[in-house]
Each structure stands twice: as structure tokens, then as C-alpha cells.
Amino acid sequence: RSILVLLVVVALVGAGGWWVFGAAQQRGLIGPTPVPAHYRDLVIEAAARCPAIPLAIFAAQMEAESGWDPRAASGAGARGVAQFMPEVWQAYGIDANNDGVASVWDPTDAIHSASLLNCVNRELVKEVAGKRLENTLAAYNAGFNAVRKYDGIPPFPETETYVKRILDISKTIEF
């Protein structure tokens, strides 16, 4: 029975059915979402850069962005474990490990940069209607200008799904 449920969920998730994933997690059909052991301390340290974003939300965001794959690359051009677009990386990428290079492909640099960007976005959307945390997540995905333009989460299916997915995953995060 559990294998059948898993296969159905995998098939639906693969087809874009993240709402099924979240519902299945809430009903206890899918287990916890662990933060990979080699990222735990890094995520905790990086999340401290932006304490307004709960640790579980931040970890869920990295899970949603790349599934913790530091080599991830999207068709739209986003790169690395935190899925930075090149122009956003140029503006907000930092050399968090102090090796002299700010690299989107380096998980330490990228995860710390993602936390920093969350705090920047949080400040940039503070006057926007709605829940500030959700607007901050939407700004990471669609850009803060889109969140400002629509006075909340933009009506983009990708962004709406992104925010919901992170909130759903955050309920199952385990360190």
C-alpha cells in the first residue's frame, strides 16, 4: 500500500501536482523531509543571517529550489543549490566561505547569499499587503518588483505554487 501511494505521489508530483504532495504530507502519507546531514550546520549558520525567516522555512526553500543539488541549473538560467539567476547573483552573491571567490556553485556561498537575499526582500516588501513571510518568498521567486506591483503574491501560477510548496515542505522539515 505505501509503495502504491508513493508511486502515485511521484507520478503526480512529476506532472506538476505539488498540491497533492502537500496534502499527502499533511495526512501523514509522506514522511519527513530531512535536511541532508552535510548541509545541516551550514543551513543553521546561514539562516542566522536573516532570523526573521524561520529555520524550517529557509530549509524548505532550499529543498524546493534544487533538492539540495549544488549543480542544479534551470531552463530559465537559475543556477546552484539556491537557484540564483545570474543578474541576481551579481547583485547579492557573497563569498561566505572567504575563499576569495563568490561562486553560485559553492553551497556555502549560495546558501548564505540566499539567506541574505531573503532579508533584503523582506525589507523591500514590508509595505506590501498580505503576509510578509509569503511576500518575501514570492519576491525570491518572482522578484520584489512583481510583489510590489501586485501588492502581494503575484498572480503567476509558478510563484503561487512556489510559496505554497515551501510552506508545505516546512511542516515536514527535519534536522
Side-chain angles (χ1 to χ4, degrees):
R1 171 179 142 89
S2 62
I3 291 176
L4 177 60
V5 169
L6 180 61
L7 290 175
V8 169
V9 170
V10 168
L12 290 170
V13 168
W18 277 108
W19 62 271
V20 172
F21 179 74
Q25 284 181 321
Q26 289 174 345
R27 289 182 178 81
L29 298 174
I30 296 176
T33 305
V35 174
H38 59 284
Y39 283 125
R40 287 180 190 146
D41 290 342
L42 173 58
V43 170
I44 292 167
E45 179 184 299
R49 285 184 180 273
C50 190
I53 306 299
L55 179 59
I57 295 286
F58 183 60
Q61 186 179 23
M62 294 303 97
E63 169 71 29
E65 285 295 342
S66 67
W68 303 102
D69 181 359
R71 298 172 311 246
S74 77
R79 305 176 307 178
V81 69
Q83 288 295 278
F84 275 93
M85 294 298 285
E87 60 276 7
V88 177
W89 180 259
Q90 287 293 4
Y92 299 104
I94 60 172
D95 177 17
N97 61 8
N98 298 311
D99 68 355
V101 179
S103 173
V104 73
W105 304 109
D106 183 305
T108 300
D109 292 351
I111 291 172
H112 277 270
S113 297
S115 184
L116 172 66
L117 181 56
N118 277 339
C119 265
V120 169
N121 282 332
R122 181 174 167 77
E123 183 64 24
L124 292 170
V125 301
K126 72 180 179 184
E127 304 297 327
V128 174
K131 296 181 180 176
R132 195 166 175 193
L133 176 61
E134 292 179 13
N135 288 336
T136 300
L137 295 172
Y140 193 96
N141 179 262
F144 71 87
N145 281 325
V147 175
R148 285 177 165 177
K149 175 182 177 181
Y150 291 100
D151 199 31
I153 298 171
F156 310 150
E158 176 188 333
T159 303
E160 293 168 335
T161 300
Y162 175 82
V163 171
K164 179 167 180 5
R165 182 172 174 220
I166 291 170
L167 296 174
D168 287 344
I169 293 170
S170 73
K171 296 172 188 167
T172 68
I173 285 291
E174 283 191 356
F175 278 86

